Amino acid sequence: MEKNSTDLRYAVLIDADNVPYSNISGMLEEIAKYGVPTFKRIYGDWTKPTVMGWKGVLLEHAITPIQQYAYTSGKNATDSAMIIDAMDILYTGRVDGFCIISSDSDFTRLAIRLREAGMKVIGIGEKKTPTPFISACDKFIYIEILKQEGEEEKEGKKEADTTAASPVTKLDMKTINLITSSINDLANESGWTFLGDLGNLILKKRPDFDARNYGFKKLAQLIKSIDRIEIDERQSEHGTNKLVYIRTKKQQQPTKAARPAPRKNVPPKAEPGTRS
């Protein structure tokens, strides 16, 4: 029997040296949208003052701290410990996916290896995260977005179906072309495609794509802001919910100016005083 997506079991591995501790609640709430975190471990040298801020939230969220001393200066032993644990967890067969919380590109090869083993890999990190690690994940979520949502909730400004206050990234022509080309890739004979299928395809092309990055709560809201796309909301078979279909608008061909009618061969007029 195939599992529901929210029933998938995830191992959450946190690199304490490369992510802030300020919004761990938002990170775990985000992970809960995709599955159940069965392993929750955080790695670091807890004798260092740079990770002291994490200690206050570990008990609250039942996260197990893993102590890893630095064997020599300039080398990060924490990364190695985290990678070894990830492989040990993989071989237990007790999880369906991994969530790697780090902004470090050193975990790129780990993410690739886990996906090769059939694991779903979600990455969470800051906007500064190098592209190779982002591309190695099935989905990558920026911490700045989660932090912003947390601040809005605390201030009582969070409302359903509204846009975010300040986007992380501007909706540029490159992103619009990514969306429209993906629509055309999936379109049926009439040009329509299901919104859910579009979201899945875009994530395969660009794992860090998220409507919230551009100031929108939902993908449908982002789509509505693009003039080149039209939307059709249809009732499902049982009428319990609406299904959103989209397609790119047909470009109107410029009207061609009417050509003047060809002139008929008219004999030249005879000059005055001459015989025809």
Side-chain angles (χ1 to χ4, degrees):
M1 182 177 178
E2 187 176 352
K3 290 184 179 180
N4 189 295
S5 59
T6 55
D7 294 331
L8 298 178
R9 300 166 299 176
Y10 278 87
V12 181
L13 308 180
I14 307 171
D15 179 8
D17 296 326
N18 283 291
V19 289
Y21 63 86
S22 56
N23 196 33
I24 184 62
S25 297
M27 298 179 201
L28 294 176
E29 288 175 7
E30 185 71 17
I31 296 167
K33 297 176 183 179
Y34 304 97
V36 180
T38 54
F39 291 84
K40 290 187 289 184
R41 298 179 183 177
I42 184 168
Y43 300 79
D45 185 353
W46 301 103
T47 63
K48 291 183 177 181
T50 54
V51 295
M52 294 295 290
W54 279 103
K55 294 184 179 180
V57 299
L58 300 185
L59 290 176
E60 179 182 355
H61 298 285
I63 302 173
T64 303
I66 306 297
Q67 169 64 32
Q68 180 59 56
Y69 291 105
Y71 296 121
T72 182
S73 61
K75 300 293 183 181
N76 196 343
T78 300
D79 292 359
S80 299
M82 193 165 158
I83 292 170
I84 292 171
D85 264 14
M87 298 309 296
D88 286 343
I89 294 171
L90 171 65
Y91 292 134
T92 64
R94 293 162 55 191
V95 295
D96 304 295
F98 286 78
C99 180
I100 303 174
I101 303 180
S102 178
S103 302
D104 193 344
S105 62
D106 288 347
F107 296 108
T108 301
R109 185 68 186 94
L110 172 62
I112 293 173
R113 177 64 183 85
L114 294 173
R115 291 181 68 185
E116 289 175 348
M119 294 287 107
K120 180 91 170 177
V121 179
I122 298 173
I124 298 180
E126 295 179 294
K127 194 73 170 61
K128 65 180 182 180
T129 304
T131 302
F133 179 42
I134 295 175
S135 301
C137 299
D138 290 291
K139 181 175 179 62
F140 193 89
I141 303 158
Y142 291 123
I143 289 176
E144 287 85 349
I145 287 295
L146 303 179
K147 182 179 179 182
Q148 178 180 301
E149 289 183 339
E151 291 173 352
E152 289 177 350
E153 190 172 5
K154 287 180 181 179
E155 295 172 4
K157 296 181 180 179
K158 187 175 183 181
E159 298 179 1
D161 299 326
T162 57
T163 58
S166 55
V168 170
T169 307
K170 183 180 178 181
L171 184 61
D172 54 8
M173 189 55 63
K174 182 179 179 181
T175 303
I176 293 175
N177 289 336
L178 168 68
I179 295 172
T180 55
S181 64
S182 298
I183 292 174
N184 293 330
D185 290 341
L186 296 170
N188 59 19
E189 294 180 355
S190 301
W192 294 102
T193 185
F194 180 53
L195 182 64
D197 294 337
L198 174 67
N200 292 332
L201 178 59
I202 293 177
L203 275 180
K204 291 177 182 178
K205 294 181 178 181
R206 224 174 76 185
D208 64 335
F209 180 85
D210 194 317
R212 294 172 297 180
N213 294 342
Y214 305 97
F216 298 91
K217 295 293 183 184
K218 301 291 184 180
L219 177 59
Q221 294 173 346
L222 185 152
I223 295 295
K224 289 179 181 179
S225 71
I226 303 174
D227 293 335
R228 293 165 54 182
I229 301 174
E230 58 180 312
I231 297 179
D232 182 21
E233 295 184 352
R234 309 172 187 176
Q235 290 289 344
S236 62
E237 292 182 3
H238 302 289
T240 55
N241 57 347
K242 289 185 177 180
L243 302 177
V244 179
Y245 286 82
I246 55 179
R247 71 178 177 183
T248 54
K249 292 180 179 178
K250 295 181 179 179
Q251 299 295 323
Q252 294 183 349
Q253 297 295 332
T255 56
K256 296 182 180 179
R259 294 182 179 179
R263 297 181 62 183
K264 296 181 180 179
N265 293 327
V266 179
K269 292 183 179 179
E271 294 291 334
T274 61
R275 287 185 172 181
S276 57

